[in-house]
Amino acid sequence: MPEGPELHLASRFVNRVCSGAVFSGKVEKSAVSKNCEVPFECDAYVISAASRGKEVKLTLTPIKEEDVKPPALERTKGLPGPMDIVFRFGMSGSFKLTSEEEVPKHAHLKFFTNGRPRQVLCFVDARRFGSWEVHGTWQLDRGPCVMFEYEKFRLNVLSNLSDKAFDKPICEVLLNQKYFNGIGNYLRAEILFRLKVPPFEKARTVLEPLLHKETTAELTLSKKIKLKLENPDLLELCHMLPTEVINLDGKGYDPEHSDDSSAFEAWLRCYYVAGMQLLRDGNGRTIWFQDPKLPNPSPGGGRQRTKPRTRSLNPRASQDQWHQKDPKLPNPSPGGGRQRTKPRTRSLNPRESQDQWHQKDPKLPNPSPGGGRQRTKPRTRSLNPRASQDQWHQKDPKLPNPSLGGGR
C-alpha cells in the first residue's frame, strides 16, 4: 500500500511531467470505476499537484490560449474556475503519463494534453480501492503530515495521549491517520525495529516518557538537532524515515515494479527481511518485528519470505507449473497423488454404463452396488406404487416375503 513518501513522490512526478504541458477537453472516467464523474471541461488548462500525508491534491487551472479559442468566443464566455481533486491511493493507486495508444488497462481517470501526439495523465488503480473527491479538501479527521508538518504532528500526539486510542498497542496506533498521517505498514515496522520497541506494547506507555523530555530539555537549537540525529525518539523517527525514503533513488515502495526498487530494498532493515517474526495485529494487519524470545512464527516454521508474494492472474493455474518452481516442495495436489495435467472430462450421460467405466481400468474393484453383475439398463419402476407384493416376490422366491405384518 502506498504510504506518505510514495504519495509525495507521486505529486513530484505529476509536477515534473506536467511542467509546460497544456491539457484540454473533458476529464474522462472509466466505466467500471465507482467513483464520481469529474465535471470539468476546458479548452486549455494546466495541472499542478501537492501532497499531505496519505493524500494528493491535483489542481486544474484554466488558462487563455490564443490558438485554442476564436476571439469572438473568448469575449462571450468566461473561463471556468480552478478545480481541486483530492486523491487517496488505496492499495495500488499511482499516476502515469502515456500516449493514447498505451493507456494502462486500469486507468480510471484520464487527463488529455492538447498537443499532437496527445498524451494522457492517468490515475491507475488495479485493485480499485483508491478514490477521488471533486472540489475536495484535506480530510479533517487526518492529523498533520508527519513529513511536512512535523511540529504540529508532534504537538497533536503529545497533547492527546489521554485519548482512548492510545490504550491500544503501539503497532496499531501508528496506523491511526488521526495522529500519524502518512505512516503505513512498512514504516511502522522500521520505526519500531530501529528503536527496539515491542510492537504490542501499550502506546501510551511508549509515548508518555516523551512528555517528560519536552518539559525538561532546555537545549540550544544546534544541540537539539544533534541529539535528534544521534538518538531520535519515536516521533522524530516518524519524520526522519519517510524523509529518507523520499531521498532514495526510485519511487519508494512499489511491489508491482520490484526491478526499480533496489535502493528501497537495501534501505529496509525489518519489513520483509529474512529472519524477522511476523504476527497479525488486532486489525488483521501483518506486523514485522524482531523478538529473540519468540519462535519463528512463519507458516510451517519454514524460511521467511524475502520478497512480496506474487499471485497468479489465473487462480486455477496448473499445480504442475507451481511444483516445477521448487521440486523440493511437497506435492500440493489433493490427497498427495499425481498431478492432473488435463481437465477432468465428464460424460454427457450421467447414467453411463458402469461396465464402460470399469473397462477403463480393470484393476479397480467392481463399483456396482453389492458387488454383483453390472446393470446395463436403467432400473424401471412400476407406474402403480401399490403393485402386488406377490408379483414382486415371484421374481425371486428365495427372498423373504416383504409384506406388511411379516405374513405370507
Side-chain angles (χ1 to χ4, degrees), residues 50-69:
S51 71
R52 180 179 183 264
K54 285 192 175 184
E55 296 177 296
V56 171
K57 181 194 292 181
L58 293 193
T59 301
L60 315 183
T61 306
I63 61 172
K64 289 185 178 181
E65 211 173 58
E66 297 295 331
D67 58 343
V68 174
K69 281 188 176 182

Side-chain angles (χ1 to χ4, degrees), residues 110-127:
K110 294 175 280 190
F111 308 84
F112 297 87
T113 65
N114 66 351
R116 289 289 185 270
R118 288 210 302 178
Q119 290 186 303
V120 188
L121 178 68
C122 310
F123 177 66
V124 182
D125 185 13
R127 301 185 67 179

Side-chain angles (χ1 to χ4, degrees), residues 357-398:
W357 180 89
H358 191 57
Q359 290 170 3
K360 295 179 181 178
D361 193 344
K363 297 179 182 179
L364 293 176
N366 192 326
S368 63
R373 61 180 179 180
Q374 300 294 334
R375 192 169 60 245
T376 57
K377 296 182 179 180
R379 181 186 287 114
T380 58
R381 298 182 181 180
S382 170
L383 296 177
N384 180 7
R386 295 187 179 179
S388 168
Q389 291 179 338
D390 289 335
Q391 296 176 0
W392 179 89
H393 189 59
Q394 290 171 4
K395 295 179 181 178
D396 193 344
K398 296 180 182 180

Side-chain angles (χ1 to χ4, degrees), residues 72-375:
L73 188 58
E74 283 189 359
R75 288 194 298 268
T76 58
K77 275 193 174 182
L79 292 172
M83 175 183 285
D84 290 332
I85 309 173
V86 176
F87 290 83
R88 296 165 193 108
F89 281 16
M91 298 292 290
S92 58
S94 65
F95 285 107
K96 294 183 180 180
L97 184 72
T98 68
S99 64
E100 281 190 285
E101 294 77 18
E102 297 175 341
V103 170
K105 175 182 177 181
H106 299 287
H108 297 300
L109 202 64
K110 294 175 280 190
F111 308 84
F112 297 87
T113 65
N114 66 351
R116 289 289 185 270
R118 288 210 302 178
Q119 290 186 303
V120 188
L121 178 68
C122 310
F123 177 66
V124 182
D125 185 13
R127 301 185 67 179
R128 282 190 262 169
F129 286 103
S131 63
W132 59 79
E133 181 183 350
V134 176
H135 297 299
T137 58
W138 306 125
Q139 275 187 338
L140 297 178
D141 58 351
R142 291 179 182 265
C145 177
V146 297
M147 297 173 288
F148 304 110
E149 299 173 298
Y150 171 68
E151 294 300 333
K152 293 181 180 179
F153 150 70
R154 188 179 185 93
L155 179 62
N156 184 46
V157 172
L158 296 181
S159 61
N160 288 285
L161 288 181
S162 60
D163 191 332
K164 63 180 181 180
F166 293 93
D167 293 336
K168 296 181 178 181
I170 185 63
C171 67
E172 295 180 20
V173 175
L174 282 173
L175 298 185
N176 188 338
Q177 301 302 295
K178 181 179 179 181
Y179 297 108
F180 295 88
N181 186 12
I183 301 298
N185 208 21
Y186 81 77
L187 281 173
R188 72 166 175 175
E190 295 298 319
I191 291 166
L192 297 176
F193 171 78
R194 298 182 194 212
L195 290 175
K196 295 181 171 58
V197 174
F200 294 96
E201 186 78 18
K202 191 176 180 179
R204 188 177 293 107
T205 303
V206 175
L207 294 170
E208 274 184 341
L210 303 185
L211 284 172
H212 179 71
K213 177 181 177 181
E214 294 288 304
T215 57
T216 59
E218 296 179 358
L219 304 173
T220 63
L221 179 61
S222 60
K223 288 184 177 180
K224 284 184 178 180
I225 294 175
K226 182 179 179 181
L227 181 63
K228 178 180 177 180
L229 294 176
E230 293 178 352
N231 189 26
D233 61 38
L234 186 142
L235 297 181
E236 288 167 342
L237 274 186
C238 287
H239 167 71
M240 294 170 61
L241 294 191
T243 305
E244 288 181 12
V245 175
I246 290 172
N247 294 330
L248 294 173
D249 294 331
K251 295 183 291 184
Y253 179 57
D254 188 5
E256 294 185 0
H257 302 87
S258 57
D259 55 335
D260 190 31
S261 59
S262 57
F264 175 77
E265 291 180 357
W267 175 84
L268 291 172
R269 299 184 189 176
C270 178
Y271 185 74
Y272 266 105
V273 173
M276 297 295 149
Q277 284 90 13
L278 62 155
L279 291 172
R280 292 194 182 276
D281 63 18
N283 298 319
R285 300 289 300 277
T286 301
I287 172 69
W288 296 75
F289 65 100
Q290 185 180 50
D291 188 347
K293 298 178 183 178
L294 294 177
N296 188 336
S298 61
R303 58 185 178 180
Q304 298 286 343
R305 285 196 312 274
T306 56
K307 294 183 179 180
R309 181 186 288 115
T310 57
R311 299 180 179 181
S312 170
L313 295 177
N314 178 8
R316 296 186 177 180
S318 168
Q319 291 179 334
D320 286 333
Q321 297 174 0
W322 181 88
H323 191 56
Q324 289 169 5
K325 295 179 181 179
D326 192 345
K328 297 179 182 179
L329 293 176
N331 191 324
S333 63
R338 61 181 179 180
Q339 299 291 335
R340 193 168 61 244
T341 57
K342 296 182 179 180
R344 181 186 286 114
T345 58
R346 298 182 180 181
S347 171
L348 296 177
N349 179 8
R351 295 187 176 181
E352 181 185 22
S353 168
Q354 291 180 334
D355 286 334
Q356 297 175 0
W357 180 89
H358 191 57
Q359 290 170 3
K360 295 179 181 178
D361 193 344
K363 297 179 182 179
L364 293 176
N366 192 326
S368 63
R373 61 180 179 180
Q374 300 294 334
R375 192 169 60 245

